[in-house]
Amino acid sequence: MKKMQRALLVWLGCLVFLAACSGGNNNPGGSNAEPAAPGNSGETPVNAETDGELPHVELIWYYGVSQVSPDQQKIEAEVNRIVEEKLNATVKLRPIDFGSYTTKLNTASAAGEKFDLVWTANWAFNYDENVKKGAFIPLDELLEQHAPETLKAIPSFTWDATKYQGEIYAVPNYQTITSRYGASIRKDLADKYGFDASTVETLEDLEPFLALVKENDPSITPLMLTGPGTKFEPFMYGFDDNGIRIGDDTFKTQILEETPEYKSFVELMHSWFEKGYINDDASTVKQIDALYNGKYASGLESAMKPGYEAEKKASNGGYDVIGIPLTEATTRRTSNITTLTAVSRTSANPERAVMLIELVNTDPELYNLLSFGIEGTHYEKLDENTVRIDPNASYRAQNWVFGNVFNGYLVEGQAPDTWEKTKALNESAFVQPTFGFSFDDTAVKAEYANVMAVKAEYEPLLMTGTVDPETYLPEYLTKLRNAGAEKVRDELQRQLDAWVAENVKS
């Protein structure tokens, strides 16, 4: 009997010891906590039955803005009033101007800095590149558990565009998912000169307007371009993003820089630069910010959508603009990944980070606060769904950075049915035949990196017309070939052929 009692006491002691060890490591929000494995931070899932509340955590969120606002701390305080009540969490908002966003985030990510949410895109802090580097965690299970409404609200083909090797690595900030290229011109100047915008059917047709501005208003730049932001838009010239001519059912890709269309574009830009139509600092300017408001007459656009003119007015010093589409609307993979929110691999609280994504995408008060600021301070409501933004307000942000724009206000000048028309355009736009294809550069990683480095050197100069293509284009093409462009093209073709065989019906 005594032997049995001793054995029972030893067994109970072991249970107490194990319980103590287990409880001692449960510190997901502690300052010394290491990043948890993806999908396993140690937090109690929000949909799990539990007698207690979720432990309080602090999240860090990086995102891009046109300029960091003086009232940022006021916005953060209001954001945390909502987030703390609903998620028992607080958020440190870390906005960075778009001009330096990629450089700063590349540095932070490479250094293993701990943060939770991060804005990414195909044009800044590149989504595909960072997925391949392992900068983000896969989100499929986390979205099912903690963001089911967001998962349902976004079309399946948009989710497909985010996938890498079958898994989702970021949440699209759902907005227009179409590309429609063209130009915008200031309406007051068009009226002043008697310029009929309907006469512009091609990019070349814009030149008479540029000449009028140059002749009559020398203090205004006729065409404002930025180095990283000005691209050769393939669809405007009949190609898709993979260098395949639209309508070519052989799906033969080519190096776009070697096409006659590319040569014509850079020649046109150079002729305009030489005539003084383009800003002298075009190749080095990274973004159009408040310094340029009212100082330029036109710009090239890639996302012309319902309500576009009103949005442009709000970000262009209050000047009305006329949008001039030069193509039909098309949807493709890149137009579906122009703005996304990912969870960093260094996040200690990935579940709570995804809960915050769900909250931003389902709580209009929180979404509009991030997008427009504080009512009465940064904007005024004209009706239940429309706001007038104060052009001199001390808070500026882009609504498409944070979440689903269809949950947000319209801005003054946008028609009441803008969101309905945008959704209809999303559903009716021409779908490029290679939609869903994503190039994997693993087999040509060195060559691909070398090609991208050459592009980064020459594109800002050629795209803005700063240099003479007669000299620089042959030099550029030689360097592309030496960097391995043909090998990259051949690998792209191999993958495309395999993808077409599996996905395209004959």
Side-chain angles (χ1 to χ4, degrees):
M1 184 72 171
K2 289 182 179 179
K3 288 183 179 180
M4 289 179 62
Q5 288 175 334
R6 281 197 296 271
L8 181 60
L9 287 172
V10 170
W11 179 68
L12 289 172
C14 289
L15 286 179
V16 171
F17 175 78
L18 290 170
C21 290
S22 174
N25 285 328
N26 187 17
N27 184 28
S31 59
N32 295 320
E34 288 298 317
N40 184 30
S41 71
E43 285 192 27
T44 306
V46 73
N47 58 350
E49 294 184 9
T50 176
D51 294 330
E53 291 185 354
L54 292 171
H56 182 274
V57 299
E58 182 177 79
L59 302 172
I60 297 173
W61 186 358
Y62 276 110
Y63 56 88
V65 291
S66 59
Q67 57 188 17
V68 178
S69 304
D71 282 357
Q72 188 65 41
Q73 290 306 311
K74 292 180 183 179
I75 302 300
E76 185 174 300
E78 287 298 300
V79 165
N80 282 321
R81 175 182 59 79
I82 299 170
V83 174
E84 190 155 21
E85 177 188 345
K86 297 194 175 183
L87 296 182
N88 195 24
T90 49
V91 188
K92 283 195 171 182
L93 300 175
R94 298 275 177 84
I96 296 175
D97 66 278
F98 287 118
S100 56
Y101 188 83
T102 298
T103 300
K104 290 184 177 180
L105 262 297
N106 279 340
T107 300
S109 182
E113 180 181 324
K114 294 182 181 180
F115 52 92
D116 300 281
L117 295 179
V118 57
W119 179 82
T120 178
N122 64 322
W123 56 276
F125 191 49
N126 188 272
Y127 174 63
D128 287 333
E129 291 176 12
N130 280 287
V131 169
K132 293 169 186 176
K133 289 177 185 175
F136 311 141
I137 64 170
L139 299 177
D140 299 71
E141 292 184 8
L142 289 168
L143 290 168
E144 290 176 4
Q145 293 174 14
H146 304 302
E149 295 305 313
T150 302
L151 202 56
K152 285 193 296 185
I154 299 172
S156 59
F157 65 85
T158 297
W159 287 115
D160 289 343
T162 72
K163 290 182 179 180
Y164 177 70
Q165 295 182 346
E167 293 188 289
I168 295 168
Y169 282 85
V171 178
N173 297 313
Y174 189 46
Q175 49 150 1
T176 179
I177 51 174
T178 63
S179 296
R180 193 176 194 185
Y181 303 110
S184 64
I185 64 175
R186 267 178 49 180
K187 185 178 184 302
D188 64 319
L189 297 178
D191 292 343
K192 177 180 176 180
Y193 309 138
F195 181 77
D196 183 0
S198 68
T199 62
V200 181
E201 296 182 355
T202 67
L203 189 57
E204 290 80 357
D205 294 339
L206 190 62
E207 182 157 355
F209 175 76
L210 304 181
L212 285 167
V213 176
K214 179 68 176 175
E215 181 181 350
N216 294 286
D217 286 288
S219 64
I220 299 176
T221 298
L223 177 62
M224 180 72 189
L225 299 181
T226 64
T230 306
K231 303 290 184 184
F232 173 75
E233 300 292 0
F235 192 69
M236 187 182 290
Y237 293 91
F239 296 93
D240 77 357
D241 295 316
N242 300 297
I244 299 169
R245 200 172 288 278
I246 301 297
D248 177 8
D249 57 11
T250 67
F251 293 91
K252 182 179 180 181
T253 187
Q254 52 201 302
I255 298 171
L256 285 171
E257 290 84 354
E258 294 181 347
T259 63
E261 290 84 354
Y262 186 96
K263 186 173 185 288
S264 295
F265 177 79
V266 296
E267 286 177 342
L268 177 65
M269 291 299 101
H270 183 61
S271 72
W272 286 359
F273 188 89
E274 289 286 281
K275 293 172 183 175
Y277 299 160
I278 296 172
N279 47 305
D280 290 338
D281 58 355
S283 66
T284 57
V285 172
K286 293 183 178 180
Q287 68 181 67
I288 300 173
D289 56 25
L291 292 174
Y292 297 95
N293 282 351
K295 296 181 180 179
Y296 66 98
S298 66
L300 303 183
E301 312 296 340
S302 61
M304 309 192 77
K305 56 190 177 181
Y308 158 81
E309 289 90 348
E311 281 189 5
K312 191 72 177 177
K313 175 181 178 178
S315 64
N316 189 30
Y319 288 94
D320 286 308
V321 301
I322 302 171
I324 308 172
L326 299 176
T327 70
E328 295 301 315
T330 179
T331 188
R332 53 191 184 164
R333 180 174 182 269
T334 51
S335 61
N336 282 256
I337 57 169
T338 57
T339 171
L340 313 104
T341 301
V343 176
S344 170
R345 63 179 170 80
T346 62
S347 173
N349 300 287
E351 281 93 349
R352 205 75 63 90
V354 174
M355 291 179 205
L356 179 56
I357 291 175
E358 175 83 331
L359 188 63
V360 172
N361 278 274
T362 56
D363 187 320
E365 181 187 7
L366 177 56
Y367 174 77
N368 283 316
L369 172 62
L370 287 163
S371 300
F372 301 104
I374 300 168
E375 182 181 357
T377 301
H378 306 113
Y379 69 89
E380 62 176 299
K381 292 186 75 173
L382 301 181
D383 57 45
E384 191 62 27
N385 300 312
T386 308
V387 298
R388 173 183 292 147
I389 298 172
D390 180 357
N392 300 312
S394 49
Y395 179 74
R396 293 279 181 85
Q398 284 69 35
N399 62 341
W400 43 265
V401 164
F402 300 109
N404 189 334
V405 303
F406 302 117
N407 292 329
Y409 295 133
L410 297 168
V411 299
E412 183 181 21
Q414 289 183 316
D417 61 353
T418 294
W419 292 151
E420 288 72 20
K421 285 185 175 179
T422 304
K423 289 178 181 178
L425 189 63
N426 283 352
E427 295 167 3
S428 64
F430 170 71
V431 179
Q432 294 194 5
T434 52
F435 185 95
F437 172 76
S438 178
F439 177 55
D440 181 356
D441 66 1
T442 302
V444 288
K445 190 169 290 292
E447 291 84 0
Y448 184 78
N450 290 337
V451 166
M452 296 308 292
V454 173
K455 285 177 180 282
E457 178 184 356
Y458 279 86
E459 277 193 347
L461 297 170
L462 285 164
M463 293 295 101
T464 59
T466 305
V467 296
D468 187 351
E470 185 174 346
T471 301
Y472 277 80
L473 183 55
E475 183 180 307
Y476 180 32
L477 295 177
T478 297
K479 287 195 174 184
L480 283 175
R481 285 192 289 270
N482 290 342
E486 291 175 328
K487 186 174 180 180
V488 173
R489 188 268 318 277
D490 292 345
E491 176 61 18
L492 171 62
Q493 187 68 63
R494 185 190 68 77
Q495 292 182 28
L496 264 171
D497 290 343
W499 185 88
V500 168
E502 186 174 341
N503 294 278
V504 178
K505 296 178 180 178
S506 57

